[in-house]
């Protein structure tokens, strides 16, 4: 009984220390965010900045609360496109990365092409995708987001797969390990940090791709069109409220990737907080 009580007490202390450490880590960020909002509000009032240039954050917050149902509906539509594009782009990027990382000749021929295509501004692809799949079809925005997501994931996957320790690879070869065993037990674990780094980038790129695609044509229920329409009507507070919710979508996807990273590779130093 005494041993069980001691173990429970130790776990409680460890949990308390963990919560305290998280609160301590988040306090500076929260303080900076609150200070930025107060500074923003004060600058708008003291400098008499016009609302079409920069609305006051309190006015944006009031519009956010007042029109939350319609802004939330638009954000839900755009989030569906962003998540769909993220899934398509990540799946394709991982598959092509695995294939490209396997054969040197294919890698040397595809990587320059991938870098060249990735350098093309997404604005150039948005009208094409809308024309291929239809302005009102969410798939057109998903494909724009997937195109943005695909190349970072594919390039980082290839980089991770070929970054294995030569001595570890030689050891596995000396034990007659199959190519599949080398892939699953050495190359993929080595590539996971690279892959999750690309996923963090992809989480925000998917949101950007979906909204940019909506700028060139989408149903009125979408977040991109909501921002454009209310900016055209000089209702800038509602546009900024929608922009904040768009940022929240990207942040939510980023946090989801962080959680997945902790679950998939808890052994890595970046997850354990070890330098």
């Amino acid at each position: 009984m005494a041993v069980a009580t001691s173990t429970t007490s130790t776990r409680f202390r460890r949990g308390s220390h963990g919560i305290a450490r998280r609160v301590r880590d988040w306090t500076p960020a929260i303080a900076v965010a609150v200070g930025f909002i107060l500074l923003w509000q004060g600058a708008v009032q003291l400098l008499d900045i016009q609302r079409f240039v920069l609305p006051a954050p309190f006015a944006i917050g009031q519009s956010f609360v007042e029109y939350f149902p319609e802004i939330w509906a638009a954000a839900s539509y755009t989030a569906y496109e962003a998540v769909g594009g993220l899934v398509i782009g990540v799946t394709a990027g991982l598959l092509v990365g695995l294939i490209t990382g396997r054969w040197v000749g294919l890698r040397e021929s595809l990587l320059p092409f991938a870098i060249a295509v990735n350098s093309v501004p997404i604005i150039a692809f948005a009208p094409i995708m809308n024309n291929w799949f239809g302005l009102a079809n969410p798939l057109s925005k998903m494909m724009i987001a997937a195109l943005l997501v695909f190349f970072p994931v594919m390039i980082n996957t290839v980089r991770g797969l070929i970054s294995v320790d030569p001595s570890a690879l030689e050891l596995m070869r000396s034990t007659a390990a199959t190519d599949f065993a080398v892939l699953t037990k050495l190359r993929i674990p080595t590539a996971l940090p690279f892959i999750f780094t690309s996923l963090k980038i992809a989480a925000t790129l998917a949101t950007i791709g979906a909204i940019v695609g909506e700028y060139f044509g989408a149903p009125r229920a979408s977040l991109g069109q909501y921002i454009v329409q209310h900016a055209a009507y000089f209702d800038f507070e509602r546009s900024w409220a929608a922009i904040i919710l768009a940022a929240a979508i990207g942040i939510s996807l980023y946090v989801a990737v962080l959680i997945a990273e902790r679950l998939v590779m808890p052994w890595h130093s970046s997850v354990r907080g070890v330098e």
Side-chain angles (χ1 to χ4, degrees):
M1 180 65 70
V3 174
T5 303
S6 177
T7 303
T8 303
S9 177
T10 302
R11 291 178 178 175
F12 178 78
R13 286 197 300 270
R14 289 178 179 175
S16 300
H17 289 317
I19 295 173
R21 182 172 60 84
R22 291 190 181 95
V23 171
R24 185 172 61 253
D25 292 341
W26 280 96
T27 297
I30 295 173
V32 170
V34 173
F36 176 77
I37 293 174
L38 294 177
L39 183 62
W40 179 358
Q41 180 72 27
V44 170
Q45 293 179 343
L46 293 176
L47 302 178
D48 194 22
I49 300 176
Q50 299 299 315
R51 53 191 293 269
F52 68 88
V53 177
L54 186 65
F58 291 174
I60 296 173
Q62 182 179 356
S63 294
F64 187 86
V65 173
E66 184 176 354
Y67 300 103
F68 180 77
E70 61 185 53
I71 298 175
W72 177 258
S76 300
Y77 185 92
T78 301
Y80 169 71
E81 296 173 337
V83 172
L86 182 64
V87 172
I88 295 172
V90 168
T91 302
L94 290 175
L95 290 177
V96 175
L98 288 171
I99 296 172
T100 306
R102 176 63 180 82
W103 290 281
V104 177
L106 186 62
R107 179 168 67 248
E108 292 179 349
S109 60
L110 282 183
L111 279 182
F113 175 75
I115 294 172
V117 175
N118 193 38
S119 64
V120 178
I122 189 60
I123 294 177
F125 289 110
I128 297 175
M129 293 298 175
N130 286 334
N131 184 52
W132 283 358
F133 300 100
L135 288 176
N137 190 348
L139 183 60
S140 62
K141 315 307 180 294
M142 290 182 187
M143 295 307 297
I144 295 170
L147 191 62
L148 272 180
V149 166
F150 171 80
F151 293 104
V153 173
M154 188 269 282
I155 293 172
N156 277 275
T157 300
V158 173
R159 183 184 175 190
L161 291 173
I162 64 177
S163 297
V164 296
D165 186 355
S167 60
L169 183 60
E170 183 180 355
L171 176 62
M172 292 200 70
R173 295 300 188 192
S174 66
T175 60
T178 63
D179 289 340
F180 183 76
V182 172
L183 176 66
T184 56
K185 296 182 179 180
L186 179 60
R187 293 193 182 275
I188 290 180
T190 302
L192 281 177
F194 294 87
I195 293 173
F196 275 104
T197 297
S198 68
L199 291 181
K200 293 172 187 176
I201 300 172
T204 55
L205 289 179
T207 307
I208 294 172
I211 294 178
V212 168
E214 291 170 351
Y215 272 51
F216 290 87
R220 296 185 63 183
S222 63
L223 203 57
Q225 283 296 307
Y226 189 93
I227 295 170
V228 170
Q229 290 172 7
H230 288 285
Y233 296 147
F234 299 99
D235 195 353
F236 298 102
E237 290 82 1
R238 290 168 73 174
S239 292
W240 274 88
I243 291 172
I244 292 173
L245 205 52
I249 295 174
I251 293 172
S252 299
L253 293 177
Y254 183 89
V255 171
V257 172
L258 286 180
I259 295 173
E261 183 181 31
R262 290 182 176 273
L263 294 176
V264 173
M265 41 181 264
W267 42 266
H268 196 259
S269 60
S270 63
V271 175
R272 295 186 291 113
V274 178
E275 296 294 338

